[in-house]
Amino acid sequence: MTRLRLASVNVNGIRAAFRKGMGDWLATRDVDVLALQEVRASSDDLAGLLGDEWDIVHDPATAKGRAGVAIASRHSAQIHRVELGPADFDSAGRWLEADYEIDGTTVTVVSTYVHSGEVDTPKQDEKWKFLDAMTERLPALREHNPLAVVVGDLNVGHDERDIKNWKGNVKRAGFLPRERAYFSRFFGPDGERVEGADGSTGPGLGWVDVGRAQAGDVDGPYTWWSWRGQAFDNDTGWRIDYQMATPELAGKVTRYTVDRAAAYDQRWSDHAPVVVDYEL
């Protein structure tokens, strides 16, 4: 058996994250594959910060200094893909797939950064398009490789356990019933009719929310806290960073951890890394 430690984190700008201590965290975590979101830097910046021991694939956003997703690995990517959705849909910097052969087993890793959205604005329209594109891609991704995992900042709390103050957020992007319905279908039993929080129904896609499967029926564990006020100190957070695996890969999980900083002044991003061990 081979252990694959997969870490995913929205770095909120990787250059700033390294200035605040991300490198110290990475040096102690023995990570095999590192998925990043909101990189906001060039490929040269990434290589310079991470070092020569990492194989890096990177998809920057169309607009410089925005979004950007990357995957760094101790293994070389066999192939990577960045297309998602219709040809006229700009998904640059938000969806990156890569195949890795690890001791004879191929694992497909996707680093994704879903739009944050804003109710009744074009930003929310782009989020709906992205979630539609994910709905189309997930079955094909599983068909491509039964051992696949989609990780990253998905910018939606699936249910009431995923947001500390959920009652005050049901009309805000990130916890809209229609958004949550997509996730009910993502995680619903494969092929079965699933009812979403908005009353809509659709077929379940059979993917596994690794964080919820491992944590059980508890609040959180949260992965994002506002920089403002006492949100971090009071653990008033949101669980919006996921590792979403095929059932075949989810069955190989041996450990799930949210690397929450010990104190507010030790944070190097407003998100915490989600770290999962898979035994292949």
Side-chain angles (χ1 to χ4, degrees):
M1 303 287 282
T2 299
R3 186 214 70 186
L4 170 65
R5 177 165 290 171
L6 171 56
S8 175
V9 60
N10 178 323
V11 293
N12 202 19
I14 194 166
R15 289 170 296 187
F18 264 78
R19 285 196 301 270
K20 295 174 182 177
M22 179 181 171
D24 295 335
W25 165 81
L26 188 58
T28 66
R29 285 304 266 129
D30 195 22
V31 171
D32 300 300
V33 178
L34 175 66
L36 305 170
Q37 303 89 45
E38 274 204 276
V39 172
R40 299 188 203 159
S42 69
S43 296
D44 288 343
D45 289 330
L46 273 170
L49 291 167
L50 293 174
D52 295 338
E53 65 269 27
W54 294 91
D55 178 81
I56 302 169
V57 289
H58 176 216
D59 186 40
T62 302
K64 190 175 181 180
R66 301 283 298 279
V69 288
I71 307 173
S73 175
R74 307 293 187 179
H75 313 267
S76 295
Q78 293 175 295
I79 188 171
H80 70 275
R81 300 164 294 275
V82 298
E83 297 82 11
L84 182 72
D88 61 350
F89 178 53
D90 182 9
S91 63
R94 294 188 179 274
W95 184 270
L96 173 62
E97 303 176 14
D99 291 351
Y100 296 97
E101 185 175 328
I102 301 165
D103 288 347
T105 299
T106 299
V107 178
T108 300
V109 178
V110 180
S111 180
T112 188
Y113 174 46
V114 176
H115 304 69
S116 56
E118 187 177 335
V119 175
D120 296 331
T121 73
K123 290 182 179 180
Q124 192 66 30
D125 294 337
E126 290 299 296
K127 190 172 189 177
W128 299 133
K129 290 178 185 177
F130 197 93
L131 292 170
D132 284 338
M134 283 183 66
T135 303
E136 290 293 318
R137 181 60 186 152
L138 287 174
L141 189 63
R142 188 176 174 188
E143 186 174 338
H144 164 72
N145 184 4
L147 299 180
V149 59
V150 177
V151 306
D153 178 3
L154 303 190
N155 262 316
V156 175
H158 180 207
D159 62 36
E160 289 89 348
R161 297 168 294 182
D162 297 320
I163 299 182
K164 184 67 169 283
N165 293 329
W166 66 268
K167 290 181 180 178
N169 285 287
V170 291
K171 295 183 179 180
R172 289 185 57 196
F175 201 61
L176 298 173
R178 181 179 166 189
E179 292 175 332
R180 295 161 55 203
Y182 281 92
F183 283 65
S184 293
R185 292 188 286 272
F186 294 165
F187 302 135
D190 194 11
E192 292 187 17
R193 211 71 187 165
V194 176
E195 182 173 350
D198 62 347
S200 65
T201 61
L205 299 184
W207 288 67
V208 176
D209 177 353
V210 172
R212 181 55 60 211
Q214 293 294 309
D217 187 13
V218 299
D219 291 339
Y222 307 124
T223 63
W224 175 85
W225 304 262
S226 171
W227 287 114
R228 295 175 294 190
Q230 300 295 310
F232 184 79
D233 294 335
N234 296 333
D235 201 24
T236 304
W238 296 46
R239 190 178 75 94
I240 54 176
D241 301 88
Y242 293 77
Q243 295 209 17
M244 183 168 73
T246 59
E248 296 87 345
L249 188 58
K252 300 179 183 297
V253 173
T254 58
R255 188 174 185 185
Y256 170 89
T257 309
V258 175
D259 281 6
R260 188 183 191 274
Y264 179 91
D265 60 2
Q266 296 178 35
R267 302 171 75 192
W268 41 266
S269 172
D270 50 355
H271 294 255
V274 175
V275 185
V276 180
D277 289 352
Y278 300 87
E279 289 288 343
L280 304 179

